[in-house]
Amino acid sequence: MRVLLLGSGGFLGRYVAEHLLADPAVQLTALGRGDDADVRFDLSSGSPGALTRFLNAVHPGVVINCAGATRGGARELTRHNTVAVATVCESLRRSGCGARLVQIGCSSEYGPSQPGSSTAEDAVPRPGGPYGVSKLAATELVLGSGLDAVVLRVFSPVGPGTPAGSPLGRLAEAMRRAMQSGESELKLSGLGVQRDFVDVRDVARAVHAASLSAAQGVVNIGSGRAVRLREAASVLARVAGFGGALHEIDSPPGRGGPHHVPAAVAHVPAPAHPHGAAHGHATAHGHAPAHAQVAGEHGGGPAGAATTYPYPDGCGSWQQADVRTARDRLGWRSRIPLEESLADIWMEAACRI
């Protein structure tokens, strides 16, 4: 099977490439903006005609699009996430290769959901920010293209290579700094949100399965369970061997004042009960505590105060995937537990100590 991979240099694209290269039946060609691509091409500015000529020359059976941008203003996000996909769809329509398209979407397309609910593919999308809007527009272009295509809506990918600017990346970096400087207390804020984390290597498996399947439309890719960022922080502290206190300095309404999340007692909640956090107290002496805002950017304010911003994906306080379609149509389910993903994130952060 000849596969053309777009965006092989990104967080998801690197693992998709690695997974595909392990399959001896796959002949992989990588196209992108970076020097590591087999062919350099910018989807956001390149012409459909040029890409069509390349498709006709390579004649792939599958095109996988992992390219896109997660940061920037509305114009930049639209250019990289929407215009680029329009170029891909138009090029595939003009080409005679008849390739199947696997488009990587994201859960930000859905926007906020009701706490306790699982979001299925037929949910009405209401993205809460320009990133989700740009990705939703791309999905609509793919679904309306008339191509043999599937869109994988990936929920919150984690694992080795997690971007340092992501909430879990910032958390690992804050913990590394605390341990390096010998601090015995880490102040954290923005830990109340719950997200459906899925390992990036499991996402790569899903992409491979989608490329071989006949599935069309939208398919959710997630673990099927929401986990509080608070619990993820406790698990990360345990795998890192951080014995100090994780002091949460902002609390959800009605919870009272700041409280401690013990680093030594941490677990990921079972799928049926993704609620609550580990509570308790741990003693910290001798060092000024470090502070990290993990769910958004830190704002101004009095010394010692934390300004709480929403989790940066525009999806509110809760998101959990309904993954039955992936199971039924792709034969896929997540395998790698969150603790393993967090351990791998920590190993990369620890290398900087």
Side-chain angles (χ1 to χ4, degrees), residues 265-286:
V265 183
H267 67 281
V268 176
H273 302 283
H275 308 290
H279 294 285
H281 297 275
T283 305
H285 301 285

Side-chain angles (χ1 to χ4, degrees), residues 111-334:
S113 56
Q114 186 69 26
S117 67
S118 293
T119 303
E121 290 85 355
D122 60 358
V124 177
R126 294 186 177 89
Y131 173 66
V133 170
S134 69
K135 292 293 288 185
L136 177 59
T139 291
E140 294 299 329
L141 286 170
V142 171
L143 297 181
S145 67
L147 299 168
D148 174 14
V150 63
V151 178
L152 303 183
R153 275 192 180 142
V154 178
F155 275 62
S156 297
V158 295
T162 294
S166 70
L168 288 177
R170 286 198 297 269
L171 177 60
E173 177 61 17
M175 199 166 291
R176 181 195 68 79
R177 289 178 179 175
M179 295 178 70
Q180 187 172 18
S181 60
E183 293 159 349
S184 54
E185 183 180 22
L186 181 60
K187 287 187 175 183
L188 303 169
S189 58
L191 298 181
V193 298
Q194 298 183 64
R195 287 294 181 269
D196 187 328
F197 296 107
V198 58
D199 193 278
V200 64
R201 292 158 291 191
D202 280 334
V203 175
R205 286 179 40 246
V207 172
H208 193 187
S211 69
L212 297 172
S213 77
Q216 296 193 340
V218 174
V219 179
N220 287 340
I221 302 299
S223 68
R225 66 181 184 272
V227 175
R228 285 188 189 275
L229 199 56
R230 188 178 302 132
E231 272 85 17
S234 295
V235 173
L236 187 61
R238 179 162 58 82
V239 300
F242 178 66
L246 303 182
H247 185 68
E248 191 173 359
I249 58 177
D250 63 290
S251 301
R255 289 273 185 100
H259 59 283
H260 286 83
V261 180
V265 183
H267 67 281
V268 176
H273 302 283
H275 308 290
H279 294 285
H281 297 275
T283 305
H285 301 285
H287 297 276
H291 166 249
Q293 175 78 17
V294 298
E297 296 301 322
H298 181 65
T307 303
T308 303
Y309 290 91
Y311 198 83
D313 57 8
C315 294
S317 64
W318 169 278
Q319 199 171 54
Q320 178 174 282
D322 182 331
V323 294
R324 289 175 294 180
T325 301
R327 179 194 63 200
D328 296 342
R329 296 173 64 187
L330 303 182
W332 175 92
R333 66 179 67 214
S334 63

Side-chain angles (χ1 to χ4, degrees), residues 19-35:
H19 187 83
L20 292 173
L21 287 170
D23 183 350
V26 171
Q27 295 176 282
L28 183 65
T29 301
L31 182 148
R33 290 180 291 168
D35 293 335

Side-chain angles (χ1 to χ4, degrees), residues 73-135:
R75 178 175 295 181
E76 184 177 5
L77 291 169
T78 300
R79 187 161 57 90
H80 288 286
N81 296 336
T82 310
V83 174
V85 172
T87 297
V88 172
C89 290
E90 180 61 24
S91 300
L92 283 169
R93 278 196 297 264
R94 294 183 188 181
S95 170
C97 68
R100 173 171 172 78
L101 174 61
V102 180
Q103 165 71 16
I104 306 304
C106 70
S107 60
S108 294
E109 298 174 41
Y110 288 121
S113 56
Q114 186 69 26
S117 67
S118 293
T119 303
E121 290 85 355
D122 60 358
V124 177
R126 294 186 177 89
Y131 173 66
V133 170
S134 69
K135 292 293 288 185

